[in-house]
Amino acid sequence: MVNFKLLISVFLLCFFEISIAQEKDEKQVFDEGSETMPIYKGCEILATMAERSQCTQNSIMEFLRENTANPKGIESSDFTNGSVTVYARLLVTEEGKVDSVEIVHATSLKKEFSDAAIATIRKLPVFTPGQQNGKPVSVQYTVPIRSPETPNPK
């Protein structure tokens, strides 16, 4: 249990990267420098921005953990060190919707793992959008999606 908490903490600190980018239509995409980060559904009731931010990060990771399944037909030999981790970049739009999901790194060459991660991310609920100068803005995140430890039964 301690190792699991440590692993999640490392992921949140190291890989819950928020980066600056430009959207195709040249609207600016913000990072942690935006005044208000996107808020996960249910986290907006918390008192402080720090609490809402932590709740959002925890809720995203919990959602991904609970909703990620291994692709069908995957064998034990497809796993590296017991699991596969896929790092995906996503955009939370000005409307709070998840958009522009792309894989930036995966510990498996099997495309099925990346496809499953993208499908899971696309199921995230609508967020309260981030804000800059009182206006909704798009915010980009990179998140780790870790596969379950064992392949699905056939």
Side-chain angles (χ1 to χ4, degrees), residues 5 9 54 58 60 82-83 90 92 98 105 136 139:
K5 286 182 181 178
S9 296
Q54 187 63 51
N58 292 343
I60 290 170
S83 68
L90 63 111
V92 177
V98 172
H105 179 72
V139 178

Side-chain angles (χ1 to χ4, degrees), residues 6-122:
L6 178 62
L7 179 63
I8 292 298
S9 296
V10 169
F11 276 131
L12 289 175
L13 292 173
C14 296
F15 298 112
F16 200 80
E17 169 193 320
I18 304 167
S19 57
I20 298 174
Q22 292 290 324
E23 286 185 85
K24 292 176 186 170
D25 62 353
E26 297 301 319
K27 290 183 183 178
Q28 191 168 4
V29 176
F30 287 87
D31 65 352
E32 62 207 77
S34 65
E35 291 172 356
T36 307
M37 295 299 293
I39 305 298
Y40 193 89
K41 186 177 182 178
C43 297
E44 60 277 328
I45 63 170
L46 297 171
T48 68
M49 182 50 71
E51 290 173 322
R52 290 189 292 270
S53 179
Q54 187 63 51
C55 175
T56 296
Q57 290 178 7
N58 292 343
S59 297
I60 290 170
M61 297 309 293
E62 181 179 346
F63 180 91
L64 296 175
R65 199 172 39 256
E66 290 177 357
N67 291 284
T68 300
N70 287 321
K72 293 185 191 289
I74 295 299
E75 303 292 328
S76 295
S77 61
D78 296 323
F79 291 85
T80 306
N81 297 325
S83 68
V84 171
T85 303
V86 176
Y87 301 92
R89 184 174 297 130
L90 63 111
L91 185 72
V92 177
T93 67
E94 296 167 350
E95 294 81 31
K97 297 177 183 175
V98 172
D99 192 24
S100 303
V101 181
E102 66 176 317
I103 302 304
V104 293
H105 179 72
T107 60
S108 172
L109 297 178
K110 293 257 182 183
K111 185 178 182 311
E112 293 87 351
F113 285 110
S114 296
D115 292 343
I118 290 171
T120 301
I121 290 171
R122 291 199 183 279

